[in-house]
Amino acid sequence: MVNSDYLKNLNKAQKEAVTHLDGPLLIVAGAGSGKTKVLTTRIANLIREKKAFPNQILAVTFTNKAAKEMQIRVSKILGSSAVGLSWLGTFHSICAKLLRKHASAVNLNSNFTIIDTDDQIRLIKNICKAENVDVKKLAPKYILAIIDRWKNKGYYPNEVNINYKDIYEKTILPIYKIYQQKLTDLNSCDFGDLILHCVKILEKNSDIREIYRKNFRYILVDEYQDTNFVQNKWLNLLVGIDQNICCVGDDDQSIYSWRGAEIKNFLEFDQIYKKTKVIRLEQNYRSTQNILSVASNLISNNQNRVGKTLETTMEDGDLVKLNCFKNGKDESIGVSDEIENIRNKYSLNNIVILVRAIFQTREFEERFLKIGMPYRILGGIKFYERAEIKDCVAYLRLVNQEKDDLAFERIVNNPKRSIGESTLKSVHEFSKKNSLCLEASSKKMIEKNLIKPKAKIGLSLFLDLIDKWRFDLKKKNINHVKLLQIILDESGYSSMLKNKKDLENENRLENIKELLSAMKEFDNLESFLEHVSLATSIDQDWEGEKVNMMTMHAAKGLEFDVVFLPGWEEGLFPHQKSIEEKGQNGLEEERRLAYVGITRAKRNVLISFSMNRFYQGDWIDSMASRFIDELPEKFLEKNSFFDENKDEIEDFDFNQDIEFESEIKSPGWLRYQKRIKS
C-alpha cells in the first residue's frame, strides 16, 4: 500500500530536494540533516510521479547496510511498487553485476571469481618469491595498497606513470603487471577491478555505454564526498543527455583521503555539470544549538568548502566543556569522573570517547579497569590484546620465567628465524617425553644435534639472546623499560616494523611507544607483568551497558548523547604526519575530522587537552591544538585543575576557581576500594 503522505514530514529544503527531479542536483547535507530520508523519499517520488520505473533508477551507496536501509525505507513508502529496484546497491555490487554481463570485453568469463584480501596476499607472495622480491622489506599488504591506489586513479599497469624518486614504486609496477595478468589467467578480479574494468568497458565501447545511459533515467549517489577518482569517472560515464544525476553528501565530512577519496569531486561538481542546482540541508535534527555553533565556527576556518550554516529547532543546551589537565593520566581521571557524574542521566551505551589515534585508548582503558567502569573498543582491539603488545609482553614473560611455554611459542620465530612448524613439533615432542619446558628442551636438542642446521642457527641465536637479557635484568640491574627497548632492538623486532613497508606498522610502533610509557608507571618487571595479567583476565564481555571508545574516523555516521574528545594537542590533533605530507589540505582534513567528532554529539561535548604527556618513557610539554583557538568563547565552559598554571596556558583565560573531584573522592575510586577489600 502506497503512503501518500510521504512529503508531509519534510522541511522546506528537504521537500525541494525531493521534488526537484530533472537536471544535475547537488544536495549539501549537513550532519544530522536527514540525508537518508531525502534520498529514499526522492527515489519513491520518482517512481510515484512516473518519471522512471524502479529498474531505471541507479542508486549507489558505500555500504550494504546503507543500501538495505534505503530499500526498506522506499518499500515502506511505496509498498509493492518498490519491487524492481534492481540497481540499488554499493559501487562494488553494482559494478560486479555490470561486469558479469560484459566480462568478455576485459578478457574474462562471466563466471569470474572475486578474490578476497587473503587470496590477494597469497598471490602477491607467490609473485614476489618468483621475482626475488624480499617480502620482509616490502610487505605484500603495502604492495596491494599501492596497486589499489593506482586502480583508484583508473590506471591499468601500462597506464601508470611512476614517481621515479620512489624506490618502492619502481619495484611494485612490474609486480602489478604480473599480478594483473595472473588475475586474468585465473578468470578472477579483485575489488578494485570491479570498478576499473567497468570504467574501461564504458570508455572503449560506446554501444554498451549508450545502453546504460538510456536505461538509467536517474542516478542517485550517497556520501558523494567519499568517492575516489575512478568511482566518479564511472558515474560520469553513465550520466545520460538529460544529466539527471543527484549527489548527496557533506564536504565538511570528507575525512578519507588516505583511502583515495577526493573532495574535489564534490567541490567541482557544478563545474562538470554546468546547470547544477545546489540545495543545502541545514536543519539539524541531532544536536543542540550550542554544539552546532561550536562545530560551525570551527569548520568555517576551512577554505575549500561549499559552505552552510547548521541550525536546530532544539534548545541551546549545555555549553561545550573545555578542560585542561596537567597530564594524560589526570585527563583519564577527569573523563572517568565526568562519566560517573552523568551515568545516572545517560546510558553508558550513549557515551563515547573519540580519539585521533588508537594508542590513545590505553590510559582510559587502564583507568576504567582500575575503577570497574565497563567499556568496549569499537572498530579496534583493546590495548593489551593487540598483537604487537602481546608480542612485547611475551618477550618480557619469557625473560622473567623460562618455563613460560606459551610465551616461548609466540616469539621464538617472531621475527622470522627459520624455525618452522616441523622444528617446533619436534621440540614439543621432546618436551613431553622428557618432562622439560620448551626452552630447556630446545637447549638439550641443540646439544644432541637433533635440530636441522638452518633452524639450529636461528634457535641458538634466540636462546643466547634470552640468556643475555636475563643477565641484563638480574646482574646489570637494567630497568624493565630499558630492557624492553633492548629486546626490541636486539631481537630484530623494531627493525621488522621499521623496515617492512606496511601501512599498519605506523600504528603498531605508536602502540609500542605507548606501552613503554605505561611500563614507566611500575617499579619493576614483575609488577608490570602482574598488571597485564590482571588487565587481560578481567571479563570485559559482561552484558549490560559500556562506555564506547573508538577513533574519530570510525565514528562517522554514528551519534551519541555525550561525546568526549581528549588529546587536542599539536602534533597529535591535528596530526603532525597529516600536515607534513599534505600541507594545507592535510590541515583542512584534520579540521573536518574535528567537525565530525563534535557533530556526533546530541547533548554534550567535552573537549580536553593536557599540558604534559608521558611519551616513550619521558615527559614532554604539550601545546594546545590550534583548533581550540578556533572554538567560539561564548559557547564554551572552561575549567582547569591547576589554577597556579594559568600563565602556562597561553590560549585561554581559565578564570573559574573550580577543581575536579580528586581520584580518592571519585565514585569509581570508592567502587575500586570496595572491590579490593571484599
Side-chain angles (χ1 to χ4, degrees):
M1 184 177 175
V2 177
N3 179 6
S4 57
D5 296 332
Y6 62 91
L7 295 179
K8 289 186 176 180
N9 294 323
L10 303 176
N11 63 39
K12 184 179 177 182
Q14 288 175 332
K15 190 173 181 178
E16 185 182 7
V18 167
T19 57
H20 182 88
L21 300 179
D22 296 321
L25 176 63
L26 183 67
I27 303 174
V28 185
S33 61
K35 68 174 179 65
T36 304
K37 183 179 183 180
V38 167
L39 264 178
T40 53
T41 310
R42 182 176 170 85
I43 293 171
N45 195 50
L46 286 168
I47 298 170
R48 181 79 191 281
E49 295 296 318
K50 301 188 183 321
K51 300 291 288 187
F53 292 110
N55 66 353
Q56 293 177 316
I57 296 173
L58 172 64
V60 192
T61 68
F62 272 85
T63 66
N64 290 314
K65 182 183 177 183
K68 188 176 180 180
E69 185 180 353
M70 286 174 64
Q71 181 75 60
I72 292 169
R73 289 198 186 190
V74 174
S75 296
K76 282 183 178 178
I77 298 173
L78 295 180
S80 60
S81 301
V83 174
L85 278 170
S86 53
W87 297 101
L88 191 162
T90 64
F91 278 97
H92 290 115
S93 67
I94 291 171
C95 283
K97 190 174 178 178
L98 284 172
L99 191 55
R100 294 214 183 269
K101 292 178 180 290
H102 309 286
S104 60
V106 286
N107 299 315
L108 293 173
N109 298 323
S110 60
N111 64 342
F112 62 81
T113 302
I114 304 170
I115 66 171
D116 60 17
T117 303
D118 288 343
D119 289 332
Q120 286 180 279
I121 290 172
R122 195 178 301 114
L123 182 55
I124 290 291
K125 281 181 177 177
N126 291 339
I127 295 169
C128 288
K129 187 176 180 179
E131 298 299 310
N132 294 315
V133 175
D134 189 354
V135 294
K136 293 180 180 178
K137 295 181 178 178
L138 196 59
K141 281 187 178 179
Y142 181 77
I143 295 171
L144 284 174
I146 299 299
I147 290 173
D148 193 52
R149 188 179 77 190
W150 285 332
K151 290 186 177 184
N152 288 341
K153 292 288 186 182
Y155 300 143
Y156 280 142
N158 62 325
E159 298 169 322
V160 173
N161 291 315
I162 63 170
N163 177 8
Y164 282 95
K165 293 181 181 179
D166 191 323
I167 59 172
Y168 297 110
E169 286 194 2
K170 287 192 287 186
T171 306
I172 294 171
L173 182 55
I175 296 173
Y176 181 20
K177 292 177 180 177
I178 300 169
Y179 171 78
Q180 207 59 26
Q181 186 58 54
K182 288 280 187 185
L183 288 178
T184 303
D185 295 342
L186 294 166
N187 192 38
S188 300
C189 62
D190 59 25
F191 280 96
D193 286 332
L194 293 175
I195 302 175
L196 180 59
H197 284 332
C198 282
V199 165
K200 298 303 181 183
I201 289 169
L202 294 171
E203 276 186 323
K204 296 176 181 179
N205 300 274
S206 58
D207 54 336
I208 297 174
R209 185 170 66 247
E210 288 307 312
I211 289 171
Y212 288 103
R213 282 183 170 182
K214 288 177 181 177
N215 183 76
F216 296 141
R217 300 282 305 276
Y218 291 88
I219 297 174
L220 298 92
V221 187
D222 191 16
E223 302 286 5
Y224 184 58
Q225 78 281 346
D226 293 334
T227 54
N228 59 34
F229 175 86
V230 76
Q231 289 166 338
N232 196 49
K233 190 170 185 178
W234 176 72
L235 290 167
N236 294 341
L237 286 165
L238 290 173
V239 174
I241 192 169
D242 295 327
Q243 296 191 339
N244 291 329
I245 180 170
C246 169
C247 293
V248 184
D250 185 2
D251 54 317
D252 291 335
Q253 296 189 65
S254 179
I255 58 174
Y256 296 130
S257 66
W258 51 278
R259 281 194 329 208
E262 297 194 8
I263 192 173
K264 72 176 185 178
N265 293 341
F266 195 99
L267 299 176
E268 296 176 0
F269 183 87
D270 59 350
Q271 297 175 34
I272 297 172
Y273 304 103
K274 301 296 184 184
K275 297 180 179 179
T276 294
K277 170 79 171 177
V278 179
I279 297 175
R280 290 171 171 82
L281 304 183
E282 298 176 314
Q283 184 70 56
N284 177 282
Y285 294 94
R286 176 186 299 156
S287 309
T288 63
Q289 188 57 56
N290 284 336
I291 291 172
L292 295 182
S293 297
V294 169
S296 296
N297 200 87
L298 175 68
I299 201 64
S300 68
N301 289 277
N302 273 6
Q303 297 176 2
N304 297 309
R305 60 191 294 260
V306 175
K308 61 185 173 303
T309 303
L310 292 181
E311 296 180 349
T312 182
T313 56
M314 297 172 63
E315 72 279 5
D316 288 344
D318 294 337
L319 295 174
V320 171
K321 285 191 176 183
L322 180 61
N323 294 334
C324 172
F325 297 97
K326 189 174 182 180
N327 53 55
K329 186 177 181 181
D330 285 341
E331 185 178 44
S332 69
I333 294 170
V335 168
S336 67
D337 284 352
E338 288 276 8
I339 294 173
E340 296 280 12
N341 292 334
I342 63 173
R343 66 182 302 178
N344 292 329
K345 185 177 180 181
Y346 299 108
S347 163
L348 293 183
N349 290 332
N350 278 316
I351 299 173
V352 70
I353 299 172
L354 299 180
V355 297
R356 174 60 180 86
I358 194 64
F359 76 85
Q360 290 174 262
T361 66
R362 198 272 305 173
E363 282 185 309
F364 297 101
E365 290 188 62
E366 298 268 19
R367 175 64 181 171
F368 288 0
L369 288 168
K370 188 175 185 179
I371 67 173
M373 178 74 73
Y375 73 93
R376 65 172 67 87
I377 305 290
L378 295 176
I381 302 169
K382 292 175 181 176
F383 185 80
Y384 287 112
E385 294 174 7
R386 294 167 194 169
E388 61 278 7
I389 302 302
K390 293 177 81 170
D391 291 342
C392 291
V393 171
Y395 270 107
L396 292 170
R397 280 169 48 187
L398 188 60
V399 170
N400 188 60
Q401 210 268 95
E402 69 171 343
K403 294 182 179 180
D404 195 333
D405 284 353
L406 292 175
F408 181 94
E409 279 187 293
R410 184 174 186 93
I411 50 113
V412 67
N413 199 40
N414 186 14
K416 301 291 185 187
R417 301 185 176 92
S418 301
I419 304 166
E421 290 297 323
S422 61
T423 301
L424 283 175
K425 186 180 178 182
S426 299
V427 173
H428 269 285
E429 290 172 352
F430 189 94
S431 169
K432 187 177 180 181
K433 185 178 179 181
N434 296 278
S435 299
L436 295 171
C437 66
L438 296 182
E439 183 181 336
S441 296
S442 299
K443 289 178 177 179
K444 285 286 185 185
M445 291 179 74
I446 289 170
E447 288 175 14
K448 296 175 179 291
N449 205 27
L450 299 176
I451 305 287
K452 292 179 180 178
K454 194 174 181 180
K456 182 180 178 181
I457 294 170
L459 190 55
S460 297
L461 287 171
F462 172 73
L463 294 170
D464 288 345
L465 282 171
I466 296 293
D467 287 338
K468 187 261 183 187
W469 297 329
R470 285 181 186 143
F471 183 83
D472 288 344
L473 178 67
K474 295 173 183 177
K475 300 297 183 182
K476 288 188 176 181
N477 293 318
I478 290 174
N479 72 58
H480 52 297
V481 180
K482 180 64 178 176
L483 178 67
L484 179 57
Q485 293 173 325
I486 292 170
I487 290 172
L488 290 169
D489 288 339
E490 294 181 352
S491 68
Y493 198 94
S494 290
S495 297
M496 176 184 72
L497 295 184
K498 290 175 182 176
N499 299 336
K500 193 175 182 182
K501 200 67 177 174
D502 189 322
L503 296 180
E504 297 175 9
N505 281 347
E506 184 180 337
N507 281 336
R508 293 188 183 116
L509 288 166
E510 286 292 339
N511 285 333
I512 290 174
K513 291 172 185 176
E514 185 64 18
L515 177 66
L516 289 166
S517 296
M519 291 173 66
K520 195 83 172 184
E521 298 176 17
F522 299 88
D523 294 331
N524 51 54
L525 180 59
E526 288 80 6
S527 61
F528 170 70
L529 290 175
E530 183 178 328
H531 168 76
V532 174
S533 298
L534 292 173
T536 54
S537 68
I538 292 175
D539 181 14
Q540 279 293 311
D541 294 322
W542 62 70
E543 294 183 3
E545 298 183 356
K546 302 181 183 76
V547 178
N548 304 285
M549 293 189 217
M550 63 178 70
T551 64
M552 283 183 271
H553 282 101
K556 189 169 174 290
L558 304 178
E559 59 182 39
F560 302 88
D561 285 332
V562 184
V563 173
F564 289 87
L565 297 166
W568 280 41
E569 297 139 30
E570 284 294 307
L572 183 55
F573 191 51
H575 202 282
Q576 190 63 33
K577 185 183 176 188
S578 185
I579 297 173
E580 287 175 355
E581 291 183 351
K582 303 173 188 173
Q584 183 64 25
N585 289 336
L587 177 61
E588 293 206 353
E589 181 158 336
E590 291 288 293
R591 190 177 283 111
R592 291 195 292 272
L593 191 56
Y595 174 84
V596 167
I598 294 170
T599 56
R600 297 312 91 198
K602 296 193 291 187
R603 294 289 181 267
N604 292 101
V605 173
L606 299 94
I607 299 169
S608 60
F609 67 98
S610 65
M611 294 183 289
N612 299 278
R613 286 270 172 203
F614 201 59
Y615 189 67
Q616 298 188 54
D618 293 308
W619 287 104
I620 59 171
D621 293 331
S622 302
M623 186 167 64
S625 169
R626 70 190 74 187
F627 297 154
I628 290 177
D629 260 347
E630 299 169 358
L631 305 177
E633 292 273 342
K634 66 179 181 179
F635 301 114
L636 300 178
E637 176 186 336
K638 300 176 181 177
N639 298 312
S640 176
F641 268 124
F642 315 100
D643 290 333
E644 66 269 22
N645 292 318
K646 284 181 184 178
D647 294 337
E648 296 179 24
I649 308 168
E650 299 177 354
D651 298 325
F652 309 103
D653 179 21
F654 286 92
N655 55 16
Q656 296 187 25
D657 191 18
I658 297 174
E659 289 194 351
F660 283 81
E661 288 183 311
S662 70
E663 181 178 6
I664 295 176
K665 293 180 181 178
S666 76
W669 179 259
L670 295 173
R671 190 167 59 245
Y672 171 63
Q673 291 297 314
K674 286 180 182 178
R675 201 171 69 195
I676 62 175
K677 288 176 183 177
S678 62

